[in-house]
């Protein structure tokens, strides 16, 4: 179960994020970065944040703690910025939020940031597993905080769910996009990381993670041809995808190793 907090104050928009996430204070006095359900990427991005983020955590990656953030439509009433006011209005109800890491910076090789090889290799494996295209030099989505790495922004992972019938064809995808991964230059232990990752994941655990997504999120997905309809059907589809992708992991592991070899 993920905790639920109530947003009490809109603090600051994070304008570098395309979905206009924001720092929000909650009733536990904590500061969170809220990913709004009313943003352009919609509820599917929030579902991806939860499923991919919690898989990353199980693998031992430092994904900031995730919570649900309850947004009251009145929260944005006095916001001078119309875009923010509309976003808050469209996001009434449950949203996804991450623990805010104050003073963190974005991973930047030009600023001489570097990554330990086991961690870089594990992150490469993880992003290939969940099909995350958003970990590139242009947009690292990798925070450095007290000299440690914190992967964020998994809203673009599992992108097959934007067109549900493509799910089947992505199960055994080698995920060629891995060649653009920002940590590939440091990932020289992909085989070892793969072994460790496979040892940590199993179908029951993947089902537990998918179960974290509330029914209300699945019910908010706009109907589309060929898409699963009930929350139970939808959940089963994610579990089936992740279980079979794990069983076929060698395909994307070999591609990541090849992409890394091409770099050298
Ligand atoms: N937990 C956090 N702690 C501190 N800063 C954060 C945190 N989460 C996000 N940020 C900052 O907010 C920015 C936007 O967040 P995020 O990447 O999740 O949003 P997005 O709208 O999905 O972005 P994108 O434009 O990459 O799709 C990040 O680039 C980072 O600078
Ligand atoms: Mg981002």
């Amino acid at each position: 179960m993920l905790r639920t907090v109530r947003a009490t104050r809109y603090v600051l928009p994070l304008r570098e994020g395309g979905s206009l996430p924001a720092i929000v204070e909650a009733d536990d006095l904590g500061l969170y970065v809220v990913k709004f359900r009313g943003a352009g990427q919609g509820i599917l991005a929030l579902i991806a944040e939860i499923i991919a983020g919690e898989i990353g955590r199980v693998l031992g990656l430092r994904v900031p703690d995730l919570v649900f953030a309850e947004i009251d439509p009145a929260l944005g009433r006095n916001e001078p910025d119309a875009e923010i006011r509309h976003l808050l209005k469209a996001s009434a109800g449950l949203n996804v939020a991450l623990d805010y890491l104050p003073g963190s910076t974005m991973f930047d090789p030009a600023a001489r940031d570097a990554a330990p090889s086991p961690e870089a290799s594990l992150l490469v494996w993880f992003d290939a597993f969940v099909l995350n295209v958003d970990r590139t030099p242009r947009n690292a989505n990798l925070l450095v905080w007290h000299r440690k790495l914190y992967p964020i922004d998994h809203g673009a992972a599992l992108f097959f769910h934007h067109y549900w019938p493509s799910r089947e064809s992505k199960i055994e995808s080698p995920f060629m996009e891995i060649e653009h991964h920002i940590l590939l230059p440091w990932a020289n232990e992909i085989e070892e990381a793969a072994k460790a990752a496979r040892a940590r994941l199993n179908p029951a655990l993947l089902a537990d993670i998918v179960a974290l997504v509330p029914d209300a999120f699945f019910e908010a997905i706009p109907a589309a041809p060929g898409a699963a309809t009930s929350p139970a059907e939808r959940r089963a589809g994610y579990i089936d995808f992740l279980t079979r992708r794990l069983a076929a992991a060698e395909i994307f592991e070999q591609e990541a190793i090849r992409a890394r070899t091409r770099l050298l």
Side-chain angles (χ1 to χ4, degrees):
M1 272 288 279
L2 299 180
R3 262 184 330 123
T4 299
V5 300
R6 271 174 51 86
T8 49
R9 188 164 65 96
Y10 185 96
V11 180
L12 198 72
L14 292 162
R15 299 224 172 249
E16 63 269 44
S19 69
L20 203 57
I23 302 174
V24 162
E25 189 177 66
D27 57 354
D28 64 352
L29 303 182
L31 290 177
Y32 296 89
V33 172
V34 177
K35 310 287 300 252
F36 293 105
R37 63 186 299 153
Q41 293 84 340
I43 200 79
L44 290 172
L46 274 53
I47 293 173
E49 288 280 1
I50 297 173
I51 298 177
E54 293 303 312
I55 291 173
R57 188 182 324 287
V58 163
L59 290 176
L61 297 165
R62 279 180 223 88
V63 179
D65 280 351
L66 290 179
V67 299
F68 293 113
E70 180 83 39
I71 303 280
D72 188 311
L75 189 73
R77 219 174 20 205
N78 299 321
E79 275 304 317
D81 185 316
E83 192 187 0
I84 294 172
R85 231 173 24 242
H86 289 144
L87 181 58
L88 289 171
K89 207 171 153 195
S91 301
L94 278 195
N95 296 260
V96 171
L98 312 74
D99 199 20
Y100 173 61
L101 308 180
S104 56
T105 57
M106 199 56 79
F107 182 86
D108 180 7
R112 301 237 216 114
D113 283 332
S117 167
E119 194 176 351
S121 306
L122 189 60
L123 195 65
V124 164
W125 189 94
F126 162 68
D127 284 322
F129 178 56
V130 299
L131 310 163
N132 180 24
V133 293
D134 259 0
R135 200 96 62 201
T136 65
R138 260 194 31 182
N139 192 356
N141 289 311
L142 185 60
L143 296 177
V144 182
W145 195 54
H146 298 288
R147 301 229 186 91
K148 298 254 191 279
L149 302 179
Y150 290 77
I152 59 160
D153 191 3
H154 302 110
L158 304 170
F159 56 78
F160 67 82
H161 61 184
H162 291 279
Y163 180 60
W164 196 252
S166 70
R167 192 186 67 98
E168 192 67 36
S169 71
K170 293 299 172 196
I171 290 170
E172 297 191 354
S173 160
F175 195 61
M176 304 295 286
E177 292 89 336
I178 203 65
E179 67 179 336
H180 305 300
H181 197 284
I182 188 161
L183 291 190
L184 200 54
W186 288 273
N188 59 33
E189 297 166 50
I190 293 174
E191 235 158 296
E192 291 81 350
K195 249 186 230 137
R198 289 186 199 206
R200 283 191 181 162
L201 296 179
N202 60 64
L205 196 60
L206 293 168
D208 287 347
I209 289 171
V210 173
L212 294 170
V213 180
D215 279 1
F217 278 23
F218 291 123
E219 283 157 1
I221 301 170
T229 45
S230 72
E233 228 184 307
R234 193 85 190 186
R235 246 183 224 111
Y238 285 104
I239 297 168
D240 174 72
F241 176 86
L242 294 166
T243 303
R244 289 165 63 198
R245 186 152 179 78
L246 180 61
E250 200 172 335
I251 296 170
F252 67 78
E253 290 164 2
Q254 289 308 315
E255 180 54 36
I257 291 167
R258 274 195 298 276
R260 155 104 187 133
T261 313
R262 287 197 299 272
L263 274 189
L264 303 176

